[in-house]
Amino acid sequence: MFDHHPRDAPVRPAGAELAQDLTMTGTWPARLLAPAVLAAALLAACSPSGGESPAEAPRSVKVVTIAMRTLDTGLIATGRLVAREEVAVSTQLAGYQVASVAADQGAAVLEGEVLAQLDGTLLDADIAQRQAAVQQAEAAFEKASQDAERGERLKGTGALPQESIEARRLAARTAEAALAQAKAALDALTIRRDLLTIRAPVAGRVLSRSVRPGDISAPGNVMFRIAAGGEVELDAEIPERGIGLLSVGQAAEVELQSGARIAGSVRLVGAEIDRDTRLGRARVILPVRDDLRPGGFATAVFAPSDAAVATVNEGAVRYSADGASIMLVGEGDRVATVHIKVGRRSGGYIEILEGPAPGARVLLGAQGFVLDGDQVTPVNADAESPR
């Protein structure tokens, strides 16, 4: 074997030798093959020997932390205006004609004020008859009582048999019972006469009137509907995620369809959620005003709650057809996509209703360049202003 390279000869790169050898071959024209071979040789010479490629190093990414914060935003809800307490007015009498109506829809009435009057002509005749019956019963009771007293005086003298004395006692008690019955019948008619006058059971505002002169009264038929005290409130429909943020006494601003804004407060927070609509209810009491009409539509903006909620920088949340999601930086600094349910937004932060617990690290921005399972180098960006 002969050594082609003298010991003192300079060593050339392997690529150069390859280029020289190929240019000497007759397989391809040297002028066509040489440039490509020389380029390959230069790349091979410039490539580092061993170690990782820079593309394989973990990417540096900004991360933020899910934390508890107070969001400076109010809950918005819609609903209808209703009477705080609605009173239905009807009559207990049947078969009496309505003689007159004294109150109309929208009228402000006082407690005990006359609303309507029933015709009591036939009832007056019945009362006169019962009064005569009471007088007869009184006379019969007076005579029976006198007879019983005389019998008691003759007791033991033998002038009157004992059976007659007992009979007189029984006649007196019977006459007394008949008198009581006659008086009770008269009292019933007197009460009925008082019921001919339909009065307001409470002070308030008449919401509706469904009775006319000439109608025939019937128990159960509502003649008037009254808003007790004239108080009207908003029956607001609250999303399930927001019902827990409300409390009794919390301030609210109600906007009517006319554009008027009225200050109110939460009077009642519903105890259940509708299984179909997933909505709860809250009652907002409002001051007494003429432009508050039950049945109208209104919008309420509730004052912000002081309760802290789980939040994250809104730049960490991405949206797709599957909903909102974040990229969680977990154990070993590896990334995983987690779907979340979001709520309110304020000051660059967004509320997390369902998702990772506070303290979890979340990728901020540049999510399109990181895939699930990738390892990253986290850089804390909590001190940066939210975007």
Side-chain angles (χ1 to χ4, degrees):
M1 299 291 293
F2 295 97
D3 189 357
H4 293 285
H5 300 283
R7 182 169 302 174
D8 298 332
V11 179
R12 293 182 298 172
E17 292 181 358
L18 176 60
Q20 181 178 8
D21 293 342
L22 290 177
T23 55
M24 298 300 293
T25 179
T27 306
W28 296 95
R31 68 178 63 182
L32 297 177
L33 185 61
V37 175
L38 288 175
L42 290 175
L43 288 174
C46 293
S47 297
S49 58
E52 287 187 349
S53 171
E56 298 176 358
R59 178 186 294 273
S60 295
V61 295
K62 293 181 179 181
V63 297
V64 291
T65 306
I66 297 176
M68 300 295 290
R69 296 181 179 89
T70 300
L71 295 181
D72 186 17
T73 181
L75 178 67
I76 300 178
T78 59
R80 295 198 175 275
L81 298 173
V82 297
R84 176 177 178 178
E85 184 177 358
E86 184 177 300
V87 179
V89 182
S90 60
T91 181
Q92 302 178 36
L93 303 179
Y96 291 88
Q97 189 177 47
V98 177
S100 62
V101 178
D104 206 347
Q105 183 179 9
V109 296
L110 301 176
E111 182 178 355
E113 185 174 338
V114 176
L115 302 178
Q117 181 68 47
L118 303 181
D119 186 3
T121 303
L122 296 178
L123 184 60
D124 290 339
D126 291 339
I127 291 177
Q129 183 179 4
R130 290 297 180 183
Q131 289 175 339
V134 169
Q135 292 176 356
Q136 291 177 350
E138 287 177 345
F141 174 63
E142 183 178 358
K143 181 179 182 305
S145 297
Q146 293 175 355
D147 292 342
E149 289 177 1
R150 285 195 295 268
E152 292 295 333
R153 288 197 298 269
L154 295 176
K155 183 179 180 180
T157 63
L160 191 66
Q162 185 64 29
E163 291 81 359
S164 297
I165 297 175
E166 293 295 335
R168 292 185 178 189
R169 291 176 183 171
L170 180 60
R173 290 197 299 268
T174 303
E176 183 180 13
L179 175 60
Q181 184 178 11
K183 288 182 177 181
L186 178 60
D187 290 341
L189 291 179
T190 303
I191 294 175
R192 186 179 292 265
R193 182 176 58 186
D194 293 339
L195 293 177
L196 291 173
T197 303
I198 311 301
R199 301 181 182 275
V202 295
R205 184 180 180 186
V206 178
L207 299 179
S208 68
R209 186 199 85 176
S210 57
V211 62
R212 302 166 300 177
D215 288 347
I216 302 301
S217 65
N221 287 351
V222 176
M223 295 180 171
F224 301 90
R225 288 170 46 245
I226 299 177
E231 292 182 320
V232 176
E233 58 188 14
L234 177 66
D235 183 17
E237 296 181 334
I238 311 298
E240 181 181 6
R241 66 176 181 269
I243 193 72
L245 303 177
L246 299 183
S247 58
V248 175
Q250 185 173 345
E253 184 180 59
V254 176
E255 181 177 359
L256 307 181
Q257 291 299 292
S258 63
R261 296 177 180 270
I262 306 172
S265 61
V266 177
R267 182 183 68 85
L268 177 68
V269 179
E272 62 179 357
I273 302 295
D274 188 279
R275 66 173 68 183
D276 298 323
T277 63
R278 310 308 303 170
L279 295 174
R281 292 189 175 276
R283 291 291 186 100
V284 180
I285 188 65
L286 301 171
V288 177
R289 292 170 51 127
D290 292 337
D291 58 348
L292 292 177
R293 295 177 174 83
F297 184 81
T299 302
V301 178
F302 298 91
S305 173
D306 295 333
V309 295
T311 62
V312 70
N313 190 308
E314 61 182 7
V317 182
R318 63 179 180 178
Y319 300 89
S320 65
D322 296 330
S325 64
I326 55 177
M327 299 198 78
L328 189 67
V329 180
E331 187 177 355
D333 294 333
R334 295 196 176 273
V335 176
T337 300
V338 177
H339 290 280
I340 61 173
K341 185 176 181 181
V342 299
R344 300 170 295 159
R345 302 187 183 201
S346 177
Y349 293 99
I350 187 167
E351 178 185 8
I352 298 180
L353 299 175
E354 295 180 6
R361 297 178 302 167
V362 179
L363 189 65
L364 177 65
Q367 299 172 357
F369 300 98
V370 181
L371 301 176
D372 282 4
D374 286 355
Q375 187 176 25
V376 297
T377 301
V379 177
N380 192 345
D382 280 328
E384 298 183 9
S385 299
R387 39 178 191 171

